[in-house]
Amino acid sequence: MISIKNISKSFEDIQAVKDVSIQIEEGELFGLLGPDGAGKSTLLRMVNSLMIPDEGTIRLWDLDPVKDYKKVRYIIGYMPGKFSLYTDLTIEENLEFFATVFGTTVEENYYLIKDIYQQIEPFKNRRAGKLSGGMKQKLALSCALIHKPKLLVLDEPTTGVDAVSRAEFWEMLQSLKEKGITIIVSTPYMDEAQLCDRVALMQGGEIHACDKPAHIVQQFQYPIRGVKTSNIYKALLDLRTYKSTHNVYPFGEFLHWVSKEQLFNDEEVIIFLKDRGHLNVQVRDIDPDIEDCFIELTQFNEKINA
Amino acid sequence: MRIILYLLQKEFLQIFRNKTMLPMIFALPVVQLIILVNAATVDMKNIRVTVVDHDHSVQSQRLIQDLDASLFFEVGDLQVSKEKGLDLMRRNKTDVLVYIPNDFSKKLHTSDAAPLQIINDAIDVQRAQLSYGYLSEIIQKLSVEWHTNPSLLLEQQQIKIHSNYWFNPELNYKYYMLPGILVILVTIIGLFLSAINLVREKEIGTAEQINVTPVKKYQFIIGKLMPFMIIGLVELAIGLLIGRVLYGVPFNGNPLVLFSFATLYLLVILGLGLVLSSRSETQQQVMFLTFFFMIIFILMSGVFTPTENMPEWALKIDTINPLYYFVKVIRSVVLKGAGFSDLWPEFRSMGIYAMVSVSLAILSYRKTT
């Protein structure tokens, strides 16, 4: 079990992580969601012993990453956001190198990486620098797993990876979870939240919510509609002046309009927009998703404590 | 131990795969030793002399002949006026102007002193000093020969100076230069390669990846020091061999003495390289830093200019210049055959220096930020 208690970390004048507390259960696939600069990487680097927190404590089972960093390094597999293996060594050499520095062999833990490694094994004599993005990612994951870690820490593993590879990667994580490995993964992609057991929404160094994705969505308390007209930008400006608007923001080809009144008539919104010269006005029912929750939580800064 | 061996194996694998670095490592000594040893010479040859002869006597002709016969001088056009001669010097067509006044031979016979004027282009101070030295020597010889007072002549000849140049009897400049160039070579290999190597790991992020493994600090540092230590020593051996084959530089000392000192020296240099790289984030930064130290170390090392000429304060600064010691030691061992007992102070200083440098390298390399 991983417990993070009241962790803070500052860099000169920026407070990157503010009083963060999270509990992660053994065997969980835990997502850390947030935009760039939210403090996700800093938090992960404190968990994996690369950084010392200014305040607070972290426990990985019974180990403290500050005091027991030597032991922590044996139980953690870390995959940084940037590909950071030896580009001038081959796939096989990289894997063997990391196995050896952990005092193990590729054969010993091969069963753990088999599914992933088999996909890149035909190219095992190719230099890591000459691999495609998806292959690099598989190699990095294999190297992070080769010493059979209890905890896998992945920092934005899917950033800059195509949609198919992203889906594949999440399947790999699911199967690793089934093998009993606890996984913490950070991502800026809100749509990946559904794939996690639990997620923490992070923004400005703070955790705004931490729960199962479905629970977070359930707690979205306002009615929400998708709105589209012939002039989306003008509609955005007009809706901001509408009396029952709680929030409105662009979302794909629609605007998401959040009402502060629980009971209202869609017709009133349509009339309001038509009065302001909008043509082809569409208002339709939608379900809030995790991104709507994220916007709500970060803009209105209401803490939901799970 | 197994981890260190594996780190070494990885390091060598990477070095031998580096298509830009590897040829450089082996081309560098060959190019440096062939080109630099020949080019970096302070031997004076072909100093251009213009003689303005207003005397046109047997004596003035004799002086011109002696100058021309010397290996150092090349006498140019004789039919020039003093103004023309000065103009030649301004336009950098001549290095020295010798002015013989019209009463030169007359005064030689009648008075005690017959004046001559020598005008030297002192833009290049070293060249000017040397050409003055050579010129005075020739004129001195002549004046003794011509001296009208035989008793004085006798008196002067009573003091007979007979010079012997020890350890390099032929004053072969290459014997002196080759060991110095070798020091620069070993330094470049050690300092640049080690500094760039570690920063590269930082740049591509592998340093961080290593940091989350159980590899210990000292293992990592040894893994970085050893390969360049070995390459540095191999380069030194290749360089000495080239010196022997191409220039016939004798090796009078014990190779064991030289190579033990080189090992200490490389520890200092490699440690320094690692310290510099831990202070840098990019290869550019570390290159600039390394260059800064390299230039100062080389120019103050005594490779090109004798350290004895430096002012007191500069000599004090030189006590922390590792190149200063190595240049001294390599010349003493190669040319003089100096042994451990002769070089004990240098060994002691370098030993202390090596300990400090390596400790600093281990301390400055952080696993956690």
Side-chain angles (χ1 to χ4, degrees):
Chain A
M1 196 186 79
I2 292 125
S3 97
I4 298 169
K5 268 193 201 136
N6 308 106
I7 285 293
S8 295
K9 178 78 186 177
S10 298
F11 300 107
E12 286 163 22
D13 51 341
I14 304 155
Q15 197 174 2
V17 175
K18 294 172 197 163
D19 195 26
V20 165
S21 299
I22 306 173
Q23 292 270 338
I24 298 164
E25 300 305 319
E26 179 148 9
E28 217 175 5
L29 174 48
F30 189 88
L32 196 56
L33 263 74
D36 293 346
K40 305 187 295 293
S41 298
T42 308
L43 185 60
L44 293 184
R45 287 165 63 86
M46 287 190 281
V47 170
N48 70 21
S49 83
L50 279 175
M51 228 177 239
I52 296 167
D54 296 339
E55 279 166 58
T57 52
I58 297 175
R59 285 282 175 283
L60 310 176
W61 290 273
D62 52 346
L63 299 176
D64 177 349
V66 179
K67 276 187 257 147
D68 313 312
Y69 67 92
K70 283 180 186 160
K71 286 180 190 159
V72 161
R73 281 165 186 168
Y74 279 101
I75 64 157
I76 281 191
Y78 172 53
M79 190 173 146
K82 199 179 129 212
F83 180 74
S84 52
L85 299 177
Y86 291 101
T87 49
D88 43 5
L89 297 184
T90 65
I91 288 182
E92 202 179 17
E93 285 162 352
N94 266 300
L95 194 63
E96 273 173 9
F97 176 75
F98 283 101
T100 317
V101 294
F102 277 104
T104 179
T105 58
V106 175
E107 293 73 37
E108 200 176 318
N109 296 316
Y110 188 72
Y111 72 97
L112 204 57
I113 59 161
K114 194 179 160 211
D115 297 339
I116 307 159
Y117 188 63
Q118 267 179 347
Q119 302 175 46
I120 51 173
E121 210 166 6
F123 313 101
K124 65 181 183 185
N125 292 322
R126 195 182 286 186
R127 307 250 173 107
K130 298 229 157 74
L131 299 175
S132 71
M135 282 160 81
K136 276 182 181 166
Q137 193 195 36
K138 283 170 192 140
L139 174 60
L141 187 58
S142 302
C143 288
L145 282 167
I146 196 62
H147 59 290
K148 201 184 170 192
K150 271 169 97 172
L151 172 66
L152 194 56
V153 178
L154 309 167
D155 193 2
E156 299 201 11
T158 53
T159 299
V161 175
D162 69 81
V164 177
S165 299
R166 265 171 69 185
E168 265 178 29
F169 192 79
W170 279 96
E171 274 168 35
M172 288 187 255
L173 293 189
Q174 286 297 342
S175 77
L176 287 171
K177 190 194 126 185
E178 277 153 29
K179 289 182 175 121
I181 297 172
T182 310
I183 303 169
I184 308 178
V185 53
S186 77
T187 175
Y189 300 121
M190 297 293 160
D191 56 327
E192 289 179 346
Q194 268 76 17
L195 305 164
C196 303
D197 295 334
R198 281 195 311 141
V199 294
L201 301 185
M202 200 168 182
Q203 158 90 336
E206 288 173 293
I207 302 287
H208 291 274
C210 180
D211 206 337
K212 292 190 169 108
H215 284 179
I216 290 180
V217 174
Q218 276 167 21
Q219 288 180 18
F220 193 83
Q221 48 196 334
Y222 302 100
I224 184 165
R225 296 289 181 274
V227 178
K228 193 180 177 184
T229 77
S230 53
N231 187 343
I232 287 274
Y233 182 63
K234 186 167 182 293
L236 178 71
L237 299 179
D238 288 339
L239 280 172
R240 278 189 184 152
T241 65
Y242 187 51
K243 60 178 171 38
S244 39
T245 297
H246 170 67
N247 197 6
V248 59
Y249 43 86
F251 201 106
E253 54 177 338
F254 279 82
L255 294 176
H256 277 192
W257 176 74
V258 185
S259 166
K260 61 181 159 196
E261 285 153 41
Q262 287 298 327
L263 290 169
F264 68 97
N265 195 338
D266 285 357
E267 277 306 311
E268 286 173 29
V269 184
I270 295 170
I271 289 163
F272 172 82
L273 286 169
K274 280 186 171 164
D275 283 351
R276 275 154 188 79
H278 287 277
L279 303 169
N280 307 325
V281 178
Q282 295 177 47
V283 173
R284 63 180 195 184
D285 278 6
I286 52 165
D287 290 321
D289 70 7
I290 203 96
E291 194 158 351
D292 294 302
C293 299
F294 190 86
I295 290 167
E296 174 64 25
L297 289 166
T298 52
Q299 280 193 2
F300 297 92
N301 204 19
E302 292 165 42
K303 274 203 174 179
I304 300 175
N305 292 312
Chain B
M1 196 59 213
R2 212 166 66 97
I3 287 189
I4 294 178
L5 280 178
Y6 216 82
L7 285 169
L8 285 179
Q9 187 191 336
K10 182 217 86 179
E11 244 12 277
F12 273 113
L13 211 60
Q14 287 184 297
I15 293 165
F16 284 105
R17 266 191 202 159
N18 195 326
K19 290 282 171 284
T20 357
M21 219 71 124
L22 191 67
M24 276 304 289
I25 292 175
F26 290 99
L28 202 67
V30 179
V31 173
Q32 280 208 339
L33 292 172
I34 292 174
I35 297 176
L36 279 184
V37 170
N38 282 306
T41 168
V42 295
D43 279 350
M44 279 294 157
K45 273 173 197 155
N46 310 328
I47 299 169
R48 293 162 304 176
V49 182
T50 301
V51 182
V52 180
D53 184 5
H54 285 178
D55 194 35
H56 299 292
S57 62
V58 182
Q59 282 79 7
S60 72
Q61 284 306 314
R62 174 69 200 282
L63 176 60
I64 294 166
Q65 273 172 19
D66 277 14
L67 284 177
D68 216 8
S70 156
L71 273 175
F72 305 116
F73 297 107
E74 194 181 305
V75 178
D77 193 5
L78 291 170
Q79 309 302 324
V80 290
S81 64
K82 197 175 178 187
E83 287 67 37
K84 179 80 194 298
L86 286 170
D87 187 51
L88 283 174
M89 184 168 283
R90 271 186 216 106
R91 287 190 287 119
N92 203 21
K93 300 275 187 223
T94 188
D95 302 308
V96 187
L97 198 65
V98 179
Y99 173 62
I100 307 172
N102 50 18
D103 54 354
F104 178 67
S105 56
K106 203 175 114 199
K107 279 196 174 165
L108 263 181
H109 294 292
T110 57
S111 69
D112 283 343
L116 265 181
Q117 190 178 21
I118 296 168
I119 299 168
N120 223 322
D121 182 354
I123 291 284
D124 181 341
V125 178
Q126 208 174 16
R127 198 177 168 89
Q129 277 174 347
L130 271 166
S131 67
Y132 176 74
Y134 295 143
L135 257 174
S136 349
E137 203 180 316
I138 291 169
I139 295 165
Q140 201 62 49
K141 249 175 153 176
L142 270 177
S143 94
V144 168
E145 202 183 308
W146 290 334
H147 215 288
T148 43
N149 190 339
S151 62
L152 204 67
L153 199 91
L154 265 173
E155 225 169 86
Q156 270 188 348
Q157 281 195 333
Q158 278 167 354
I159 308 162
K160 204 171 181 186
I161 299 167
H162 184 72
S163 315
N164 251 338
Y165 296 101
W166 278 28
F167 310 123
N168 189 357
E170 296 151 49
L171 287 183
N172 187 331
Y173 195 71
K174 283 163 192 158
Y175 288 6
Y176 173 75
M177 220 47 220
L178 185 117
I181 302 262
L182 264 176
V183 169
I184 297 179
L185 179 81
V186 171
T187 311
I188 291 178
I189 296 290
L191 199 55
F192 274 82
L193 289 189
S194 65
I196 290 175
N197 184 286
L198 191 60
V199 174
R200 199 176 121 81
E201 292 233 10
K202 260 197 214 176
E203 260 184 0
I204 60 176
T206 44
E208 183 166 301
Q209 195 78 61
I210 293 286
N211 283 351
V212 288
T213 69
V215 171
K216 292 181 183 67
K217 252 191 196 181
Y218 79 91
Q219 293 171 327
F220 187 73
I221 296 288
I222 291 175
K224 289 285 166 203
L225 288 178
M226 285 282 278
F228 301 113
M229 166 80 77
I230 293 168
I231 292 173
L233 292 176
V234 169
E235 296 263 338
L236 182 61
I238 294 175
L240 288 168
L241 204 70
I242 291 178
R244 189 65 179 265
V245 174
L246 286 186
Y247 305 113
V249 177
F251 195 98
N252 293 324
N254 182 352
L256 190 67
V257 176
L258 183 62
F259 280 84
S260 337
F261 193 85
T263 306
L264 285 178
Y265 175 75
L266 274 165
L267 279 177
V268 174
I269 289 296
L270 294 169
L272 183 68
L274 295 184
V275 172
L276 292 181
S277 63
S278 65
R279 296 265 159 267
S280 316
E281 290 305 316
T282 64
Q283 295 188 49
Q284 260 180 340
Q285 286 175 359
V286 81
M287 282 293 278
F288 195 73
L289 263 179
T290 320
F291 220 79
F292 172 78
F293 283 98
M294 279 280 288
I295 295 287
I296 294 176
F297 282 167
I298 289 177
L299 290 183
M300 289 186 72
S301 66
V303 173
F304 299 110
T305 49
T307 47
E308 287 79 4
N309 290 0
M310 295 198 300
E312 194 84 9
W313 57 265
L315 273 173
K316 285 215 174 81
I317 294 177
D318 239 1
T319 53
I320 58 159
N321 180 0
L323 264 87
Y324 166 74
Y325 295 98
F326 197 28
V327 167
K328 209 163 150 185
V329 167
I330 196 171
R331 280 181 180 152
S332 305
V333 175
V334 171
L335 302 178
K336 233 178 178 175
F340 279 115
S341 50
D342 307 303
L343 299 167
W344 163 240
E346 282 77 16
F347 266 95
R348 191 188 47 200
S349 303
M350 201 45 66
I352 295 169
Y353 210 157
M355 276 192 286
V356 172
S357 173
V358 172
S359 318
L360 276 179
I362 294 176
L363 285 178
S364 63
Y365 170 70
R366 284 161 202 275
K367 282 201 96 172
T368 44
T369 31

